Amino acid sequence: MHFVDAKGILTGGKGHYGMNIYRGCTHGCIYCDSRSRCYQFTHAFEDIEVKRNAPELLEKALKSKRQRCMIGTGSMSDPYMHCEEDLHLTRSCLEIILKYGFGAAIHTKSDRVLQDIDLLDAINRSAKCVVQMTLTTYDDGLCRILEPNVCNTKRRIEALERLQERGIPTVVWMTPILPFINDTRENITAILKECVRVGVKGVIDFGMGLTLREGDREYYYAALDRHFPGMKARYVKHYGNAYVLPSPNAAELSAAFHEICDANGILSTPEACFAYMNDLPERHRQMSIFDL
């Protein structure tokens, strides 16, 4: 872990912003796209870059904005990695989001999100808060291989349930679905049944498959060699050097996915899920002169 003073914290615009408080990750997920060379890491991925001035930058940015919107975090680096237990930078940023009346959309794999459930609840009551949780496999043994340094799927489902009990809406990322590994109807159905049970608002899937780029591909294949002997050769034979690797079962899995989501009123397209997460209700958007 090393500390830097960042020049800025918010990216994007058009009614919503994103921020990454950390760069890199210690969760060790074997398929992580953020390892790809296109992101130009100049340090080891597990050597977390900590933007120690993130709260100050965020406060300065939000103080100057005249219209409230949603602030997202977790797209490139999980905001609830192990270092957050000591640094509490995510919590500090959430306190600022609450202070200025903005909404929050958080993406994580960790049950550490529950340590801030009080703040998430307060943000949701004053504006809007959505917690996104990645679930890739219902099999906890497989989960320990795919995502070795983070809590298992059952614990993440418990976290979703706790959030739902507080009225905090949740969205599940059911991605990636790894060809020949977790791309079974039984796995998809088991995850979705839990999503229905705990009342998630939406589930995001990008076509029942995996993407691999330079940097990410090498790390993933090394993990396949360790845990699934012969699987790398199967991938190379089936997909070559492709970027998009759809499951051979993609059509069947997608049909089951949409059938379950549609039957239970769950948003099931990325477009619908992102539209929901990025939208702050109109009554919270405009700041009055008393807010300035």
Side-chain angles (χ1 to χ4, degrees):
M1 182 171 63
H2 64 283
F3 295 85
V4 300
D5 289 315
K7 295 181 179 179
I9 192 65
L10 292 183
T11 59
K14 297 182 180 179
H16 58 90
Y17 292 92
M19 66 176 179
N20 285 294
I21 301 163
Y22 303 108
R23 284 193 84 218
C25 192
T26 52
H27 286 165
C29 304
I30 70 171
Y31 51 72
C32 182
D33 177 72
S34 293
R35 292 180 179 276
S36 301
R37 294 211 177 111
C38 63
Y39 298 118
Q40 300 179 335
F41 272 82
T42 57
H43 54 85
F45 191 68
E46 290 78 10
D47 177 17
I48 306 304
E49 180 181 291
V50 179
K51 300 176 185 178
R52 59 187 163 196
N53 60 336
E56 292 80 8
L57 290 173
L58 182 62
E59 179 146 27
K60 181 179 179 181
L62 297 191
K63 185 186 291 187
S64 68
K65 296 191 182 303
R66 298 180 63 87
Q67 190 174 60
R68 297 179 175 104
C69 64
M70 296 294 288
I71 310 287
T73 188
S75 62
M76 286 290 296
S77 183
D78 198 304
Y80 287 104
M81 289 180 294
H82 304 80
C83 58
E84 176 62 16
E85 289 186 1
D86 298 319
L87 300 176
H88 304 297
L89 287 177
T90 296
R91 183 173 181 87
S92 295
C93 288
L94 289 174
E95 290 172 339
I96 293 164
I97 288 171
L98 175 63
K99 175 180 177 180
Y100 289 97
F102 284 72
I106 298 168
H107 188 185
T108 184
K109 287 189 179 83
S110 176
D111 60 345
R112 291 187 190 91
V113 68
L114 294 177
Q115 71 192 21
D116 291 337
I117 196 169
D118 58 332
L119 271 173
L120 303 177
D121 190 8
I123 292 170
N124 194 47
R125 290 175 185 275
S126 67
K128 178 181 176 181
C129 180
V130 182
V131 175
Q132 307 153 71
M133 187 73 74
T134 297
L135 305 177
T136 60
T137 175
Y138 194 70
D139 182 328
D140 282 339
L142 182 57
C143 183
R144 283 191 291 272
I145 294 172
L146 304 185
E147 301 149 351
N149 302 327
V150 67
C151 65
N152 64 24
T153 300
K154 303 298 189 301
R155 178 57 181 156
R156 292 179 220 174
I157 292 169
E158 290 173 3
L160 290 170
E161 197 166 16
R162 288 271 308 278
L163 292 160
Q164 180 63 26
E165 288 169 357
R166 298 286 286 263
I168 300 167
T170 55
V171 169
V172 163
W173 289 63
M174 197 171 65
T175 182
I177 299 301
L178 310 178
F180 317 120
I181 295 175
N182 65 340
D183 59 337
T184 66
R185 188 183 183 98
E186 292 75 17
N187 181 48
I188 300 303
T189 300
I191 292 172
L192 290 174
K193 283 183 177 178
E194 290 295 270
C195 290
V196 171
R197 183 180 67 81
V198 302
V200 304
K201 180 70 177 181
V203 181
I204 294 174
D205 160 61
F206 289 108
M208 298 294 171
L210 168 71
T211 59
L212 291 178
R213 290 189 267 208
E214 188 180 4
D216 173 23
R217 177 180 285 107
E218 291 82 354
Y219 190 88
Y220 181 66
Y221 280 170
L224 293 187
D225 284 340
R226 289 195 306 274
H227 300 291
F228 307 97
M231 186 65 75
K232 174 184 173 181
R234 191 175 182 184
Y235 267 69
V236 172
K237 180 179 179 180
H238 198 87
Y239 297 107
N241 206 37
Y243 167 59
V244 180
L245 288 65
S247 165
N249 306 322
E252 175 194 351
L253 299 179
S254 292
F257 168 74
H258 288 293
E259 180 182 350
I260 294 172
C261 289
D262 292 349
N264 291 279
I266 295 175
L267 300 176
S268 60
T269 66
E271 295 79 11
C273 290
F274 285 120
Y276 171 74
M277 289 189 291
N278 292 334
D279 179 59
L280 185 64
E282 187 62 34
R283 68 183 181 276
H284 298 296
R285 286 185 179 276
Q286 285 301 131
M287 290 185 177
S288 75
I289 60 172
F290 302 105
D291 295 316
L292 302 178

